[in-house]
């Protein structure tokens, strides 16, 4: 890494880009930033693949807008470049890996590669990955498994980074702990369910705050535990909390994500000894990967299709245009953005350029990224 003076280089930041950036061009920019920061070409490529795929699926909270946060974590000495998932224990159908605070986009990819290979051989593999730097959009890992024809489900904790109150509680104790599950379909995109266990993602509260808007009712409580729609409680002291989705059920799922991912992996859960105020985001993930061909279920896909068709035939509720299966909204957004480019708002673009400058991307190169 070759850090430069942020203040000096900020003046070289080009004006806001066009509203849409072509996918290939944005991918090249992300690769250039991480190669300048010190990543090997393969690492830079995997990071770019992941961040772009998150934007393409419509989850901008986990796309290229994460670059400034990753640069802060790198400069703070938390994110480590060019590291690989380490096998801590190989028990056949159960693998324990350590992400050694390497790029999550690399170590989770490697964890899935190992789990896929083992599930293809044994029918099933449980992979526990601990201590990875942010692994981003979890659907990306389920899609990697689905491309190999495998079913998977993933429990994730955000170790030591509480933002969500327990059901009935009045302060932040749990991460936004995502859960994800995917069902592959031959020659067609998989069904992918992938969500944070908070009512709204933290990034959505931040966007509402920046835009001076309120969040949906029920999504937040203030520092005294009272319901509020003001997103500032997540960004200004005294801090409030996100609520778990679905009351006690969402809280229960978040708790099991915390325990399966944080405890079973040999990593850590969130509690008084582990709360971390650094800019790092540390994820642990338990993935269970299954070869559907190992079951005696030749009609599994046809049965899944029949079910999806059945629910889609439901009469529509007021204001609803159509019923969607898990993963359909992301696919529609992907098709639209592949055709028309990825929207990057001016503030995010400025932050990305400042982060690029901070890792030493020359001012002329950053200027050449201008999209006027
Ligand atoms: N790495 C981390 O620490 C971390 C933490 C939290 C969240 N995340 C990621 O953040 C992303 C966003 O999470 P979120 O909770 O905001 O997602 P969300 O609320 O947008 O829910 C997404 C899921 O719901 C489905 N869905 C959405 N609208 C639908 C509709 N109308 N009908 C049927 N299904 C529908 C989608 O296909 C998808 O499976 C996820 O990719 C998650 O993995 C990561």
């Amino acid at each position: 890494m070759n850090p430069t003076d942020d203040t000096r280089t900020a003046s070289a930041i080009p004006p806001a880009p066009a509203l849409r950036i072509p996918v290939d061009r944005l991918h090249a920019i992300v690769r250039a930033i991480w190669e300048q920061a010190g990543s090997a070409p393969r690492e830079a490529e995997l990071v770019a693949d992941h961040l772009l795929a998150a934007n393409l699926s419509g989850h901008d909270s986990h796309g290229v807008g994460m670059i400034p946060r990753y640069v802060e974590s790198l400069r703070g000495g938390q994110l480590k470049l060019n590291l690989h998932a380490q096998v801590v224990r190989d028990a056949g159908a159960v693998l324990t890996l350590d992400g050694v605070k390497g790029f999550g986009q690399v170590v989770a990819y490697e964890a899935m590669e190992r789990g896929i290979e083992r599930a293809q051989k044994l029918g099933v593999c449980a992979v526990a990955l601990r201590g990875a730097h942010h692994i981003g959009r979890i659907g990306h890992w389920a899609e990697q498994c689905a491309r190999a024809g495998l079913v998977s489900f993933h429990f994730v904790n955000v170790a030591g980074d509480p933002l969500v109150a327990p059901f009935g509680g009045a302060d932040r104790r749990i991460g936004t702990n995502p859960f994800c599950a995917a069902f592959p379909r031959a020659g067609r995109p998989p069904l992918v369910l992938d969500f944070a266990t908070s009512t709204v993602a933290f990034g959505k509260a931040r966007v509402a705050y920046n835009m001076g808007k309120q969040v949906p009712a029920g999504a937040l409580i203030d520092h005294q535990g009272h319901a509020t729609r003001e997103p500032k409680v997540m960004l200004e002291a005294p801090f409030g909390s996100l609520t778990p989705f679905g009351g006690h059920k969402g809280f229960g799922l978040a708790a099991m994500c915390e325990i399966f991912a944080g405890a079973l992996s040999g990593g850590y859960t969130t509690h008084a000894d582990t709360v971390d105020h650094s800019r790092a985001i540390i994820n642990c993930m338990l993935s269970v990967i299954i070869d559907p061909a190992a079951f005696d279920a030749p009609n599994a896909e046809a049965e899944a299709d029949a079910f999806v068709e059945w629910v889609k035939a439901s009469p529509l509720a007021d204001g609803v245009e159509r019923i969607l299966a898990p993963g359909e909204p992301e696919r529609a957004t992907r098709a639209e953005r592949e055709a028309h480019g990825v929207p990057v708002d001016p503030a995010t673009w400025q932050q990305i350029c400042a982060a690029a400058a901070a890792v030493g991307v020359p001012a002329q190169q950053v200027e050449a990224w201008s999209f006027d």
Side-chain angles (χ1 to χ4, degrees):
M1 178 175 144
N2 176 24
T4 58
D5 179 336
D6 292 353
T7 320
R8 180 174 58 77
T9 50
S11 61
I13 291 172
L19 282 180
R20 299 281 186 147
I21 303 178
V23 177
D24 289 352
R25 189 158 190 187
L26 192 52
H27 195 277
I29 289 171
V30 178
R31 285 201 316 272
I33 292 172
W34 289 109
E35 287 194 30
Q36 179 65 43
S39 287
R42 177 65 175 149
E43 175 162 289
E45 187 180 356
L46 285 174
V47 173
D49 286 353
H50 184 107
L51 297 181
L52 261 294
N55 285 114
L56 285 173
S57 66
H59 294 290
D60 295 330
S61 54
H62 289 71
V64 296
M66 287 305 295
I67 290 171
R69 176 82 184 253
Y70 292 171
V71 167
E72 286 179 54
S73 182
L74 175 69
R75 299 181 96 198
Q78 287 103 27
L79 168 62
K80 313 277 187 205
L81 301 184
N82 300 318
L83 295 183
H84 298 278
Q86 306 288 310
V87 179
V88 183
R89 184 151 188 230
D90 182 342
V94 180
L95 293 174
T96 307
L97 305 180
D98 195 328
V100 292
K101 292 195 182 171
F103 246 127
Q105 284 76 6
V106 173
V107 296
Y109 182 85
E110 293 170 343
M112 293 305 97
E113 271 188 327
R114 288 179 185 273
I116 288 166
E117 183 264 331
R118 204 53 71 88
Q120 283 170 334
K121 198 160 128 194
L122 301 176
V124 63
C125 183
V127 189
L129 173 67
R130 69 195 190 204
H133 198 268
H134 194 230
I135 60 175
R137 175 180 168 258
I138 309 308
H140 194 80
W141 312 122
E143 285 162 0
Q144 187 179 344
C145 298
R147 276 195 299 278
L150 303 176
V151 165
S152 65
F153 33 96
H154 309 258
F155 300 87
V156 178
N157 82 329
V158 195
D161 189 12
L163 292 172
V164 185
F167 179 67
D171 72 354
R172 37 173 81 185
R173 300 268 159 171
I174 321 169
T176 50
N177 295 1
F179 171 78
C180 177
F183 182 81
R185 300 179 298 176
R188 291 179 299 157
L191 299 170
V192 180
L193 177 66
D194 172 29
F195 57 77
T197 48
S198 46
T199 306
V200 296
F202 173 73
K204 287 175 185 164
R206 191 185 56 228
V207 169
Y209 175 80
N210 289 341
M211 296 172 72
K213 291 187 173 172
Q214 294 196 319
V215 299
L220 294 175
I221 55 174
D222 67 16
H223 68 289
Q224 294 176 314
H226 299 133
T228 176
R229 295 187 61 193
E230 292 301 334
K232 75 174 184 190
V233 303
M234 294 307 296
L235 294 127
E236 294 175 23
F239 290 111
S241 313
L242 300 167
T243 56
F245 86 95
H248 64 283
K249 301 178 189 184
F251 163 59
L253 183 55
M256 298 317 274
C257 283
E258 189 75 31
I259 291 162
F260 286 166
L264 262 188
S265 68
Y268 58 95
T269 61
T270 302
H271 51 80
D273 297 336
T274 62
V275 170
D276 175 6
H277 297 292
S278 79
R279 298 300 286 161
I281 308 171
I282 301 300
N283 284 137
C284 305
M285 171 164 71
L286 175 70
S287 301
V288 180
I289 306 170
I290 304 172
D291 182 356
F295 292 105
D296 178 26
N299 292 333
E301 197 172 323
E303 282 297 318
D305 285 348
F307 169 73
V308 170
E309 197 181 323
W310 163 252
V311 292
K312 285 190 169 215
S314 176
L316 297 177
D318 288 347
V320 174
E321 282 178 17
R322 63 194 181 103
I323 292 166
L324 301 169
E328 264 193 274
E330 285 76 12
R331 282 210 304 284
T333 306
R334 192 172 300 138
E336 192 274 327
R337 291 184 172 188
E338 275 172 350
H340 302 292
V342 173
V344 180
D345 66 81
T348 300
W349 176 248
Q350 294 287 317
Q351 289 161 6
I352 292 169
C353 290
V359 297
V361 177
Q364 312 87 293
Q365 192 176 344
V366 178
E367 278 169 37
W369 293 342
S370 179
F371 294 93
D372 280 9

